[in-house]
């Protein structure tokens, strides 16, 4: 028996009220909320980032093993920038506007799908300069961000100019990326010239939008989120140490793999310790410092994942799978460690330490470059941690 017209209208009304109740306004979050922490959805989002970062680090590892140094490093920087920039933009938005309603969750999942698409295209990008999947995934991520910013513009009237600037700016830059994809970019130099312009456009969007009014991001939440991504990045070094241990054969024992595994663990623990030391990150919410701190972490993330790729290259050389010089493999680890030290100095130490203490990380960055292979890197990393610990201890007793 067919339902009557009033009954159908009643059911439609109930369905409408259900969705109306469940969709929350995307109002600004409380910037002073206590104990603000990463949500399960954000942690799931980070899990997707793991896959993309691992793909980029693997691409760098194989490029170095095949002696494609300039090509591999350039593509690695491009891939990590795309992954980091997509992660960073979502993270700062969620810190300010995450209302955890169904539409926010669904748009976040669209962003994750875009990130997986991007990750799937990284190997083709390294092998053939085919960046179709990378751009496709990236554009999916960014268009979902446009939808999120438009939701924020609807409900946060006080910052409507800021949120609309984000939405319009992001959308326009995506037109540029699509145009770059359609253009003839078979030349590596031509591609990276166009890519550099795209980076400049992307970086300019937050800098211009935030001048209309600062979004209500939560300082402690942002600091935690950046720290969590750094742990993910350092996981590449842990993976390389595991690869070294896997090469150990009891029938033909090679102590070099043991030294390599120990060295990778020592350096991993040192890099973690230095980042999560006592010094305060992001001391205030001034726009200039927020941009320097937020953007400057790209160096830390690039370097952290590259350390793992450098150790993986050393495993290949010792196992006879690559003819690359062991000296080059040494610098493939040493230079990223030095850059990691410099990145921490750039975003944190130069703001919070005295004139003498702030020079510790730059000094040890130089020592890392001239240290001997394998054991030398781990030894200098340990000395760096000990010096920072002593510095903090002396500061606390004064």
């Amino acid at each position: 028996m067919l339902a009557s017209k009033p009954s159908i209208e009643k059911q439609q009304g109930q369905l409408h009220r259900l969705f109306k109740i469940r969709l929350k306004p995307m109002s600004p979050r409380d910037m002073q909320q206590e104990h603000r922490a990463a949500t399960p959805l954000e942690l799931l989002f980070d899990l997707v980032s793991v896959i993309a970062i691992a793909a980029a680090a693997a691409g760098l590892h194989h490029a170095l093993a095949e002696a494609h140094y300039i090509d591999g490093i350039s593509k690695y920087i491009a891939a990590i920038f795309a992954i980091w920039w997509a992660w960073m933009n979502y993270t700062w938005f969620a810190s300010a506007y995450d209302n955890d309603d169904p539409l926010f969750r669904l748009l976040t999942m669209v962003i994750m799908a875009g990130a997986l698409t991007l990750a799937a295209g990284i190997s083709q990008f390294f092998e053939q300069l085919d960046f179709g999947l990378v751009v496709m995934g990236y554009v999916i991520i960014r268009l979902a961000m446009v939808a999120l910013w438009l939701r924020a513009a609807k409900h946060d009237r006080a910052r409507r100019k800021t949120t609309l600037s984000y939405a319009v700016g992001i959308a326009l830059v995506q037109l540029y990326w699509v145009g770059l994809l359609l253009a003839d970019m078979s030349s590596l130099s031509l591609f990276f010239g166009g890519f550099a312009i795209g980076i400049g456009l992307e970086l300019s969007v937050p800098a211009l939008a935030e001048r209309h009014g600062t979004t209500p991001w939560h300082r402690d939440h942002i600091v935690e989120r950046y720290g969590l991504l750094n742990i993910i990045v350092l996981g590449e070094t842990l993976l390389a140490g595991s690869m070294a241990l896997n090469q150990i054969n009891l029938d033909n024992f090679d102590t070099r793999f043991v030294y390599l595994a120990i060295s990778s663990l020592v350096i991993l623990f040192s890099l973690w310790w230095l980042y999560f030391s006592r010094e305060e990150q992001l001391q205030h919410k001034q726009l200039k410092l927020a941009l320097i701190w937020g953007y400057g972490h790209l160096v830390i993330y690039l370097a952290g994942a590259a350390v793992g790729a450098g150790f993986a290259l050393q495993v290949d050389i010792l196992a006879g799978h690559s003819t690359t010089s062991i000296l080059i493999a040494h610098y493939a680890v040493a230079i990223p460690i030095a850059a990691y030290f410099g990145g921490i100095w750039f975003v944190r130490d130069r703001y919070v330490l005295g004139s003498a203490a702030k020079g510790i990380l730059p000094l040890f960055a130089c020592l890392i470059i001239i240290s001997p292979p394998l054991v030398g890197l781990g030894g200098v990393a340990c000395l760096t941690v000990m010096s920072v610990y002593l510095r903090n201890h002396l500061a606390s007793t004064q």
Side-chain angles (χ1 to χ4, degrees):
M1 185 176 181
L2 296 175
S4 64
K5 185 176 181 180
S7 175
I8 295 175
E9 291 177 348
K10 182 178 179 181
Q11 293 174 359
Q12 291 175 341
Q14 290 174 341
L15 186 62
H16 175 74
R17 285 193 297 273
L18 173 64
F19 280 99
K20 188 175 181 180
I21 292 171
R22 294 191 64 187
L23 290 183
K24 307 173 186 176
M26 189 155 276
S27 304
R29 295 286 300 261
D30 181 6
M31 292 185 288
Q32 305 302 325
Q33 178 185 347
E34 295 184 0
H35 310 299
R36 176 81 185 273
T39 67
L41 184 62
E42 288 176 317
L43 297 177
L44 181 63
F45 181 79
D46 288 353
L47 187 61
V48 174
S49 300
V50 172
I51 298 172
I53 292 170
L60 175 62
H61 161 213
H62 294 304
L64 295 178
E66 296 169 2
H68 300 155
Y69 306 126
I70 302 299
D71 180 83
I73 292 171
S74 301
K75 290 177 179 178
Y76 171 73
I77 293 173
I80 289 291
F81 175 84
I83 299 162
W84 163 78
W85 189 248
W87 176 91
M88 194 191 82
N89 277 244
Y90 171 81
T91 295
W92 286 77
F93 177 89
S95 185
Y97 293 105
D98 179 3
N99 64 359
D100 199 34
D101 72 354
L103 185 54
F104 177 82
R105 291 186 174 194
L106 288 172
L107 286 172
T108 300
M109 291 173 184
V110 171
I111 292 173
M112 292 182 199
L116 287 173
T117 304
L118 188 157
I122 287 177
S123 61
Q124 297 177 13
F125 174 59
F126 271 89
E127 292 169 6
Q128 308 167 8
L129 196 60
D130 180 356
F131 53 95
L133 270 180
V134 172
V135 171
M136 184 185 304
Y138 185 79
V139 171
I140 291 171
I141 294 169
R142 304 299 277 151
L143 291 182
M145 285 303 308
V146 171
L148 287 171
W149 281 113
L150 290 175
R151 284 196 74 194
K154 178 180 179 181
H155 298 112
D156 187 4
R157 295 182 179 275
R159 298 178 181 84
R160 176 163 290 183
K161 195 170 184 180
T162 300
T163 50
L164 285 177
S165 295
Y166 269 108
V168 173
I170 291 171
L172 290 176
V173 177
Q174 300 326 294
L175 293 177
Y176 173 83
W177 290 121
V178 172
L180 192 68
L181 178 61
L182 297 176
D184 181 14
M185 290 292 168
S186 55
S187 166
L188 187 64
S189 58
L190 188 63
F191 166 79
F192 282 108
F195 187 82
I197 295 173
I199 288 179
L201 293 173
E202 290 283 7
L203 293 176
S204 68
V205 172
L208 295 175
E210 294 285 334
R211 296 184 187 278
H212 298 303
T214 304
T215 48
W217 50 273
H218 192 285
R219 177 194 166 277
D220 293 341
H221 176 250
I222 286 292
V223 170
E224 181 196 29
R225 297 292 295 120
Y226 270 64
L228 290 172
L229 184 62
N230 193 37
I231 291 173
I232 289 172
V233 165
L234 293 178
E236 293 303 313
T237 302
L238 191 63
L239 179 61
S242 176
M243 289 173 57
L245 291 175
N246 285 336
Q247 294 294 327
I248 296 176
N249 188 334
L250 295 179
D251 295 329
N252 187 19
F253 190 76
D254 190 338
T255 57
R256 294 178 300 171
F257 289 113
V258 178
Y259 290 144
L260 188 60
I262 293 174
S263 180
S264 67
L265 286 177
V266 168
I267 288 173
L268 166 68
F269 298 150
S270 299
L271 297 181
W272 176 89
W273 194 305
L274 291 170
Y275 184 88
F276 294 99
S277 65
R278 187 175 65 85
E279 286 76 23
E280 185 178 18
Q281 300 266 10
L282 194 58
Q283 297 75 29
H284 53 76
K285 297 191 65 172
Q286 183 183 3
L287 177 60
K288 181 180 179 180
L289 178 62
L291 290 174
I292 290 173
W293 188 87
Y295 289 2
H297 266 75
L298 175 59
V299 176
I300 297 174
Y301 297 144
L302 278 167
V307 170
F311 271 115
L313 174 61
Q314 293 197 15
V315 172
D316 278 357
I317 293 171
L318 295 182
H321 299 152
S322 174
T323 57
T324 302
S325 164
I326 192 65
L327 183 62
I328 291 176
H330 167 71
Y331 282 113
V333 176
I335 292 174
I337 294 175
Y340 186 93
F341 288 178
I344 296 177
W345 172 86
F346 181 76
V347 302
R348 187 192 68 194
D349 283 12
R350 66 192 181 112
Y351 293 107
V352 300
L353 298 175
S355 56
K358 73 171 60 175
I360 289 179
L361 286 182
L363 172 63
F364 279 98
C366 295
L367 291 177
I368 279 285
I369 296 297
I370 63 175
S371 65
L374 293 181
V375 180
L377 291 176
V380 176
C382 283
L383 287 175
T384 309
V385 172
M386 291 170 62
S387 299
V388 170
Y389 180 80
L390 180 60
R391 175 192 72 190
N392 293 343
H393 177 71
L394 292 175
S396 64
T397 56
Q398 291 177 353

